[in-house]
């Protein structure tokens, strides 16, 4: 037996309806597992109060986003409630090649594209305890109009149809428990035989 070169990083896709608390769960997860790079997406939507360019998203105009699509710079992209959202290919490849896990917070169409392009990605879907609870969280967030909130709730119902295409389902009743479950999933994935081939010479 001999130790060989470090494996590539794990690509992790996390999807879930807007308002489920993904950002908070992700922040908790990143605190628990420092070897994860959180991919900052590009979007044409306007920043919400408290959001900063290059921190939450790279906020770009429509023309710039379409230029990125044409130049094939995106691993995946989708339109969601009237705006473009997409993942830059370059940064992700660099991190994965360096053995760093990469976490994408993306919606279901983008996740399906990642699945097609990268069969070994692990897909996790996160939901609130109920749709009523989701509605309460969206209204309490107080950042969007009623029309936008109703659009997001309708979207959530559609997104639930995609749950069978995901590898794991996490319910965010309590942030620390949800983050702990995702961390456990990542530990199990790291222990897969195919991800440990570099540790043994058979
Ligand atoms: P929000 O506007 O609430 O920040 O995000 C709306 C939705 O877009 C969320 O479901 C989020 O996961 C998704 N999203 C964020 N970045 C990306 C991305 O790069 N690609 C795709 N396909 N979806 C994204």
């Amino acid at each position: 037996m001999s130790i060989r070169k470090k494996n590539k990083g794990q690509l992790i896709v996390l999807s879930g309806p807007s308002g489920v608390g993904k950002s908070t769960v992700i922040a908790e997860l990143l605190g628990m597992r420092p070897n994860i790079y959180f991919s900052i997406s590009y979007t044409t939507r306007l920043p919400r109060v408290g959001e900063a360019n290059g921190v939450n998203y790279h906020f770009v105009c429509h023309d710039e986003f379409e230029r990125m699509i044409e130049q094939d710079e995106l691993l995946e992209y989708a339109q969601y409630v009237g705006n473009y959202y997409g993942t830059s290919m370059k940064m992700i490849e660099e991190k994965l090649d360096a053995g760093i896990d990469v976490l994408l917070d993306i919606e279901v169409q983008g996740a399906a594209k990642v699945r097609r392009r990268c069969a070994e990605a692990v897909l996790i879907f996160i939901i609130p305890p109920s749709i009523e609870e989701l509605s309460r969280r969206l209204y309490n967030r107080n950042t969007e109009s009623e029309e936008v909130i109703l659009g997001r709730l309708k979207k959530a119902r559609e997104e639930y149809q995609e749950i069978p295409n995901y590898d794991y389902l996490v319910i965010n009743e309590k942030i620390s428990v949800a983050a702990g479950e995702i961390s456990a999933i990542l530990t199990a994935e790291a222990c897969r035989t195919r991800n440990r081939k570099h540790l043994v010479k058979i």
Side-chain angles (χ1 to χ4, degrees):
M1 184 172 130
S2 67
I3 304 291
R4 290 206 271 143
K5 208 167 128 260
K6 193 170 177 355
N7 233 8
K8 277 186 76 166
Q10 171 76 52
L11 185 57
I12 308 145
V13 171
L14 186 65
S15 302
S18 178
V20 68
K22 262 178 302 175
S23 313
T24 321
V25 172
I26 288 170
E28 179 100 359
L29 178 70
L30 298 181
M32 294 163 83
R33 298 181 78 102
N35 192 39
I36 299 179
Y37 170 76
F38 176 67
S39 161
I40 300 168
S41 296
Y42 286 76
T43 184
T44 58
R45 103 152 149 67
L46 295 173
R48 292 192 190 115
V49 176
E51 286 184 335
N53 191 28
V55 178
N56 308 87
Y57 283 102
H58 299 288
F59 295 99
V60 294
C61 65
H62 215 262
D63 286 354
E64 170 63 4
F65 200 100
E66 293 196 330
R67 186 201 61 74
M68 295 175 80
I69 297 173
E70 272 162 32
Q71 312 259 304
D72 204 16
E73 291 179 15
L74 301 173
L75 167 69
E76 61 72 38
Y77 70 93
Q79 279 193 306
Y80 184 92
V81 199
N83 285 300
Y84 276 128
Y85 293 83
T87 307
S88 159
M89 183 109 68
K90 188 167 170 280
M91 186 59 90
I92 295 216
E93 276 179 343
E94 281 172 16
K95 298 288 177 192
L96 291 174
D97 287 345
I100 298 167
D101 294 343
V102 175
L103 175 63
L104 309 183
D105 165 359
I106 63 176
E107 52 66 67
V108 296
Q109 305 161 61
K113 287 184 194 161
V114 173
R115 172 69 100 203
R116 284 196 291 276
R117 293 185 82 163
C118 176
E120 291 181 357
V122 54
L123 270 62
I124 305 170
F125 200 93
I126 179 162
I127 57 171
S130 67
I131 287 275
E132 292 71 29
E133 173 61 21
L134 183 66
S135 172
R136 248 193 311 278
R137 289 183 194 178
L138 282 172
Y139 280 103
N140 287 345
R141 191 157 78 176
N142 218 4
T143 52
E144 274 124 348
S145 66
E146 169 126 30
E147 192 193 346
V148 171
I149 292 177
L150 290 176
R152 284 175 186 253
L153 285 171
K154 182 168 173 277
K155 192 82 184 169
R157 291 196 178 84
E158 291 163 19
E159 286 169 338
Y160 274 39
Q161 308 300 314
E162 304 300 320
I163 290 175
N165 301 326
Y166 283 72
D167 301 306
Y168 296 96
L169 181 63
V170 168
I171 296 159
N172 182 24
E173 181 142 29
K174 193 159 181 253
I175 289 153
S176 58
V177 176
E181 285 189 356
I182 297 172
S183 180
I185 292 165
L186 300 184
T187 301
E189 288 293 316
C191 295
R192 278 189 188 276
T193 313
R194 71 160 188 251
N195 291 333
R196 293 210 140 165
K197 277 193 222 136
H198 62 295
L199 296 177
V200 284
K201 194 174 177 192
I202 303 162

